[in-house]
Amino acid sequence: MKVLMTGNEALARGAYEAGVLVASAYPGTPSTEIMENFSQYEGVYAEWAPNEKVAAEVAMGAAVRGVRSFASMKHVGLNVAADPFMSFAYHGSNGGFVIITADEPNMHSSQNEQDNRLFSKLAKVVCLEPSDSQECLDYMKAAFEISETFDTTVMIRVTTRICHSKSPVMMGERKVPEVKVFSKNPEKYIMVPAHSRKRHPVIEENLLKLASFSDKTDLNGIEYFDTKVGIICNGISYQYVKEVMGDQASYLKIGFSNPLPEMKIREFASKVDTLYVIEENEPFMEMQIKSWGIHCIGKDLFPICGEFSPELIREKLLKIPSTSTYENELQAPLRPPVLCAGCPHRGLYQELGKYKKKAFFSGDIGCYTLGYLPPFEAMDLSIDMGASITAAQGFQRANEWATDSQDTLKPFALIGDSTFFHSGITGLINMTYNQTPITTIILDNSITAMTGHQENPGTGISAMGNIADKLSIENLVLACGIKKENLVVIDPYNLEETKKAIKAGFDAVEPYVIISRRECALIKEIQIQRAHQKCQVNWDKCRFCKACIRTGCPALQINQEVNKVQIDSVQCNGCTVCLQVCPFKAIEKGGDLA
Amino acid sequence: MKKNMNILLAGVGGQGTILTSKILSNGFLQQGYDVKMAEIHGMAQRGGSVTTQIRVGDQIFSPVIEKGQADIIVAFEKSEALRWLDYLKPDGILIVNDYMIEPFTVSLGISPYPYTFLNEYSQKIKHLHVFNAFKTAQDLGNAKSMNVVLLGAIVKYLQLDMIDWPSVIQDQLPEKHVAINMKAFHAGYQQ
Ligand SMILES: Cc1ncc(C[n+]2csc(CCOP(=O)(O)OP(=O)(O)O)c2C)c(N)n1
């Protein structure tokens, strides 16, 4: 019987059926649900790691020991894991080793659009690209066979539309291969220069074998229909192209994209009149095909930026523009993502925003990044995970040389708990080691909220639901060298306390840390706890000054008929931030709070 | 059922569009159709626009619907209908939940809410159905089952009676939610 699965569910299922015993991941859209699903299976070890480098190395160690393992991450996660990824390519595997990268054409939830197929070329490892959920399952199984047969890392590259689309899947049985023997072998496992020099030629030889496998495998399949138009495509582009062209074209669908099947491509090119290469983002296949002297049309016609769609293919290939019946004179209101009602980040930003003319806010990545938006506008920089603390130090060091008025901007670093564990700690060590006087605020909502509430070292629960000791952020901060008197812990629901701490942080002349601690209001237990905690507006006192509205809380609404503010009791969970900012004491505690 | 059908659900994070599409797509699958479903959810957990798209037929390639190709659009929040209207086929069906969630951009005065757009579009859209599914669900005793009220309306207007929806609902929902959602489904169907 077939079941509907997302690509991510199918990848997890494929890993399970392939007999994977160890897997590690750090969350990141659109990859997160791979581990969330895999950890639900019996008879596996699954974990959340604090970052992608850790995840990759844990999985590598397991492969060396002789079991099948994988690590999964979003595309930018592979940047963090790039060091072990590049080096381990020389080691090969023992038990099969797979790294899953979930790329994001169009950046639905990401900071860049990097095409990680290029990473497979750089590292000289295999790249597989499934185009629907069934292939996610099948390719995952094939990946382990290839990894073990050719003693190589296999990278599975998926994109958002593959990860988050559902299609029917036929499941199979799980087969766990016997754990392989680990034999000590320094020449294979210790990459000192002498060994690496021997391994590199082995890898090059391996690539030739893999290229000839790529020519033979069904993972690269030709479908001949009309041969006037031939299309080489991969991943989701295959589905779009089939949708638009049906049997009006012939196809070479690339599922095994590094190394490419040169002979198959030459054969296909010779049989069709005009050859197109249709791939999202980088001209990864096109550049190689052109380097073989084969004429093809690719990025001259199809954009590098953004994602494809059937209408884009139709427009470019058939010159038929998309039509819509309804020209919209009216627009839907802007509905950007917002900090939720009761979000603990709101109280902090409410006070922090008051410093926006006097401070430089070096931000990071998480729900709290939304603090850059109105009404707070309390974030000035965001590069990558962990960069808040470090970039703030550079800003401060440059401040010291500046002659313009900018030198009065005091740097604050803003970082979430999960991000702090991911890559903030080394930055904090740098801050105390070099005694750079900035103030770091750790926004501890006790969960990895942005990616959908994954556990982390601070929550005390592992991916498999085991209870671990909660990692104490205070102890970590002190261990990194922050003086006791320069560390304060606040509750951001208490605006007075928050204001005082920010003032102290602003005035500090030594490295200073504020931990802003309050659980995310969406955590299930917290939702239950706060279900009946409400605020309400007393219309007799409300003068409609909108001070509360300027906290940006989505539970606050304007009642057009009476020109007063009202609070949506479904969303409100009684954080009282609006109550504290109301100059007329018009907002009162209700429900359990009263 | 028509050869290929495209269904687009639009709403705001937290409204339950995903559950509705899960029930729909599983119903189609059990009936032997090929189904693909795509969802994009914005950055935050709540508050942003969300859409799920279902494509069903004998053989489906693309999981996403093209502009002007949706047989039906269901706006779980009133103004979300406008955001996706150019995906509707000329003779397509538009179901609008007469229920507003004003984004904070409206309260802050950054972006106007199109309160009256339905009056203007009622002439242009042949198959427009407007009702308050939130109120229907609330009257039944659980506002959260609004998404299943809307499911009932979809089944009715797309004439999908060949599928045994109550049994699909039973399969897809936890036992304790089945009874209330059965009521919600029938209320939506009788709309
Ligand atoms: C290298 C990298 N890995 C993963 C992500 C995806 N990601 C974005 S924010 C985030 C977690 C944020 O959690 P936290 O710091 O606790 O902040 P919160 O969202 O809870 O406010 C993750 C995993 C990323 N952007 N970059």
Side-chain angles (χ1 to χ4, degrees), chain A residues 26-27 52 345 365 367-368 385 416-419 445 447-450:
Chain A
Y26 181 72
E52 294 86 353
H345 301 329
I365 307 190
C367 289
Y368 53 96
M385 283 189 79
D417 51 329
S418 184
T419 308
N445 58 357
I447 202 83
T448 316
M450 169 113 191

Side-chain angles (χ1 to χ4, degrees), chain B residues 5-188:
Chain B
M5 201 161 55
N6 300 324
I7 303 172
L8 193 150
L9 312 181
V12 175
Q15 281 195 301
T17 50
I18 296 195
L19 179 72
T20 308
S21 53
K22 193 174 150 195
I23 297 171
L24 273 172
S25 47
N26 275 289
F28 291 131
L29 185 74
Q30 282 174 27
Q31 196 70 12
Y33 291 109
D34 192 15
V35 191
K36 285 194 175 167
M37 177 185 140
E39 62 179 68
I40 285 293
H41 27 116
M43 294 215 308
Q45 298 268 312
R46 271 196 194 167
S49 314
V50 291
T51 153
T52 54
Q53 313 189 356
I54 301 167
R55 303 197 60 228
V56 52
D58 293 334
Q59 192 179 17
I60 299 293
F61 291 103
S62 164
V64 298
I65 300 173
E66 294 178 57
K67 282 212 178 94
Q69 291 302 318
D71 294 276
I72 186 168
I73 292 180
V74 186
F76 281 51
E77 194 278 347
K78 192 164 141 184
S79 71
E80 290 302 307
L82 269 183
R83 202 180 307 283
W84 295 96
L85 201 55
D86 51 352
Y87 279 72
L88 194 62
K89 271 186 187 166
D91 60 346
I93 302 167
L94 178 65
I95 299 180
V96 180
N97 183 11
D98 196 4
Y99 175 69
M100 297 194 293
I101 301 176
E102 289 186 16
F104 82 106
T105 54
V106 172
S107 330
L108 286 178
I110 298 170
S111 179
Y113 193 96
Y115 294 102
T116 58
F117 81 94
L118 281 176
N119 303 341
E120 289 161 53
Y121 280 86
S122 60
Q123 299 301 318
K124 295 186 201 167
I125 300 166
K126 257 182 277 166
H127 307 289
L128 175 65
H129 305 283
V130 185
F131 74 103
N132 189 332
F134 179 80
K135 185 153 184 314
T136 308
Q138 210 172 28
D139 291 347
L140 289 173
N142 188 346
K144 284 220 168 105
S145 63
M146 179 182 86
N147 50 359
V148 179
V149 173
L150 287 165
L151 173 74
I154 297 169
V155 167
K156 172 181 167 186
Y157 292 119
L158 283 179
Q159 301 171 3
L160 300 173
D161 304 87
M162 70 288 187
I163 296 168
D164 181 4
W165 294 104
S167 96
V168 184
I169 291 171
Q170 213 148 20
D171 288 349
Q172 294 297 323
L173 290 181
E175 175 94 42
K176 59 179 176 187
H177 298 316
V178 169
I180 176 78
N181 280 295
M182 251 2 147
K183 277 196 220 157
F185 176 78
H186 289 297

Side-chain angles (χ1 to χ4, degrees), chain A residues 123 136 150 202 242 252 254 288 348 409 425 453 508:
Chain A
C136 282
F150 293 92
V202 174
K242 284 283 281 198
L252 169 47
I254 301 291
Q288 296 178 71
L348 183 80
L409 292 182
I425 299 168
H453 283 188

Side-chain angles (χ1 to χ4, degrees), chain A residues 204-224:
Chain A
E204 294 300 329
E205 232 170 84
N206 219 357
L207 278 175
L208 295 178
K209 287 185 210 151
L210 284 162
S212 101
F213 178 79
S214 181
D215 270 322
K216 284 187 221 108
T217 175
D218 291 342
L219 298 169
N220 295 322
I222 296 181
E223 300 165 44
Y224 286 117

